[in-house]
Amino acid sequence: MILSLSRYCGTAACAGVLLFGVTSQAIAADARQEAVVQQGSVEWNAMREKNPSMPTDLSGAALKGRRLRKIDFSQTSLAGADMRQSDFGRSEFRDADLSGAKLDGSVLAGSRFTGADMNQASLAGALCAGSDFSGAKMASTVLRRADCGEAKLRGTDLSGADLREANLEHADLSRADLRAANLWLARTGGTDFTGALISDETVLPNGKTGSAQWASEHGAMFAPVVAASKPEPAGVAGAALPQAVQSATPSASSQAVPSAAPQKATTLAKTLKPIRAWRPAPSSISYDADQLDQLKSNVTKWNRLRTEKPAMNVRLKEAPLDNRVLAYADLHGADLEKASLKRSDLEKADLKSANLRGADLRSANLQRADLRQADLRGANLWLANTGRAEFEGAIVSSETVLDTGKKATPAWAQEHAVRFMDESEPLR
């Protein structure tokens, strides 16, 4: 017994167990288990295989900067643990307690967190691609700039979560609770919101607050917030919906969830006490949030909209459009002043007469794009692919940065049949 026990604990810890029995077992267990996990995932998993019924407690453990891939942390208490900048790829966190844990910048790709308690945990900038968070409790969790592409978040409680600038492309958020969550600038291309629950405190990717209209367009459900009648978080796919939302389905025309009898209303944000999540004031947004959302979601539908509404004034000034696929997009005459289009695919895009003053087009694909008559004064095209792009009649200035990294000159303008004007010179 002494030999088998000494494998997972130090001499002093073993002596304590032998002399004092189980009186100090809880304290000794924390120290022993942390010592084992510091050795690596192989040693930790071996300990768990030999002691399958042993409770595992690593609350507050210091695991920063560790490589612990494929480790089994299922049903383990990791509350408040420091797990930042570590590699936990393809690991098991099923039913674990990660409340308040710090996982910022960690690799969690392919890991399973089903049923885990992750309330108020921090996963800012974490790599969670392909991970399974189905049914997890993630209220007020920070996922800002986290990569959750193709992640499973079915029935996850994300109320009050900070999802700003997160990558949620092709993620499954069906039946997730997104009330009071902040999704400002999150990438949601191909995201499944079927049956998800939003409220008027939810901040949408376009910076606007949640609405019944947005819910209807995305197959979600809308519920005005009344904390006293807050329904339980939706379970994983196939589980029963909360009583307060059973009468609403994704196909309902209004997508509004009826609330319970009037009671003293308290905002969900105050009830959850989420991390202070900033969102832009509507008056500070220079672009049309709805237009930005439509363009980012589906270029084909955007082009159809422009055909149906030829007189529509496209306002995308200072719009964040980095790394977007906008090939063939109809952006003629659009106001894209100071818009950020770094590394975006604009192949064969129609940018005729567009206002691109001060726009960031670095490393953008402008191959065969139509930039005739476009205003490119102060724009930055460094390393952009401009092969076979049309520039006839476009306007450049001494502040325009060309694809070569050099500034535009009158000689270059004459050679490429474009106009050279001063920054302050008005259009004629």
Side-chain angles (χ1 to χ4, degrees):
M1 175 179 175
I2 297 176
L3 290 177
S4 61
L5 181 62
S6 62
R7 182 175 180 179
Y8 301 113
C9 64
T11 305
C14 290
V17 173
L18 294 173
L19 290 173
F20 304 103
V22 296
T23 55
S24 59
Q25 183 177 3
I27 297 174
D30 292 343
R32 291 201 308 271
Q33 292 174 4
E34 186 169 357
V36 174
V37 78
Q38 294 292 353
Q39 296 176 36
S41 55
V42 174
E43 290 77 7
W44 174 267
N45 291 344
M47 180 192 73
R48 297 210 64 182
E49 288 177 7
K50 291 192 174 183
N51 303 274
S53 60
M54 178 179 66
T56 45
D57 189 351
L58 293 171
S59 301
L63 299 173
K64 182 180 179 181
R66 304 288 300 174
R67 189 176 189 275
L68 297 168
R69 294 180 64 83
K70 299 183 180 180
I71 196 164
D72 182 6
F73 278 143
S74 59
Q75 299 181 324
T76 298
S77 177
L78 290 155
D82 186 353
M83 305 164 73
R84 292 173 293 171
Q85 300 169 2
S86 295
D87 187 355
F88 298 106
R90 299 179 65 186
S91 292
E92 182 65 73
F93 292 89
R94 178 176 46 84
D95 297 323
D97 182 0
L98 288 152
S99 56
K102 299 175 183 177
L103 290 143
D104 307 298
S106 290
V107 176
L108 306 169
S111 295
R112 184 164 61 165
F113 295 84
T114 53
D117 183 352
M118 303 181 73
N119 290 331
Q120 298 187 12
S122 183
L123 289 79
L127 177 59
C128 307
S131 295
D132 190 351
F133 296 92
S134 299
K137 300 173 184 177
M138 302 181 75
S140 300
T141 295
V142 177
L143 286 155
R144 187 176 186 186
R145 294 179 180 168
D147 184 356
C148 298
E150 299 185 1
K152 297 177 182 177
L153 293 144
R154 293 190 302 268
T156 304
D157 181 1
L158 287 161
S159 51
D162 184 355
L163 289 153
R164 290 173 292 164
E165 303 175 273
N167 176 22
L168 298 171
E169 292 185 336
H170 303 288
D172 184 357
L173 281 115
S174 58
R175 301 168 66 88
D177 188 345
L178 293 167
R179 290 173 298 168
N182 193 332
L183 289 87
W184 188 60
L185 294 183
R187 294 161 58 184
T188 56
T191 304
D192 184 1
F193 288 103
T194 304
L197 187 61
I198 68 167
S199 70
D200 41 12
E201 287 187 309
T202 302
V203 181
L204 303 175
N206 60 18
K208 291 189 174 183
T209 55
S211 64
Q213 179 182 351
W214 189 94
S216 178
E217 292 172 352
H218 294 80
M221 295 184 290
F222 177 75
V225 173
V226 178
S229 59
K230 175 190 173 186
E232 293 296 320
V236 294
L241 278 171
Q243 183 67 31
V245 300
Q246 283 180 355
S247 60
T249 64
S251 60
S253 58
S254 65
Q255 298 301 311
V257 180
S259 59
Q263 300 179 39
K264 184 178 178 181
T266 306
T267 61
L268 183 60
K270 290 182 179 179
T271 304
L272 292 170
K273 297 181 181 179
I275 301 224
R276 296 287 180 182
W278 175 87
R279 75 177 182 90
S283 59
S284 69
I285 301 177
S286 302
Y287 52 85
D288 186 306
D290 289 329
Q291 290 182 357
L292 176 64
D293 195 34
Q294 291 165 340
L295 175 61
K296 289 166 61 177
S297 298
N298 192 306
V299 171
T300 301
K301 290 183 179 179
W302 167 263
N303 290 345
R304 188 181 305 128
L305 176 65
R306 296 222 61 188
T307 301
E308 295 170 354
K309 299 180 178 180
M312 181 175 70
N313 184 21
V314 180
R315 297 186 296 106
L316 294 170
K317 182 178 180 180
E318 300 179 1
L321 287 164
D322 297 332
N323 300 295
R324 308 304 305 185
V325 178
L326 302 172
Y328 298 89
D330 185 353
L331 293 164
H332 76 273
D335 183 3
L336 287 157
E337 183 177 356
K338 295 182 180 179
S340 186
L341 291 150
K342 294 193 301 289
R343 296 179 295 276
S344 288
D345 183 2
L346 289 156
E347 182 176 358
K348 296 198 74 173
D350 185 355
L351 291 157
K352 287 194 304 289
S353 303
N355 178 11
L356 286 159
R357 293 192 65 168
D360 190 350
L361 289 155
R362 288 175 292 170
S363 302
N365 179 21
L366 294 168
Q367 190 173 17
R368 295 186 291 174
D370 189 348
L371 289 149
R372 291 176 294 173
Q373 309 297 324
D375 190 344
L376 291 164
R377 287 179 289 179
N380 192 337
L381 288 83
W382 186 50
L383 295 181
N385 179 3
T386 58
R388 297 173 65 184
E390 299 181 71
F391 286 98
E392 289 81 5
I395 307 169
V396 297
S397 69
S398 58
E399 295 302 313
T400 302
V401 180
L402 306 174
D403 54 351
T404 59
K406 295 182 178 181
K407 297 287 186 71
T409 62
W412 184 91
Q414 184 176 7
E415 181 183 349
H416 292 82
V418 303
R419 290 179 285 169
F420 188 89
M421 298 174 62
D422 292 333
E423 285 290 323
S424 57
E425 189 175 348
L427 288 177
R428 296 186 295 273

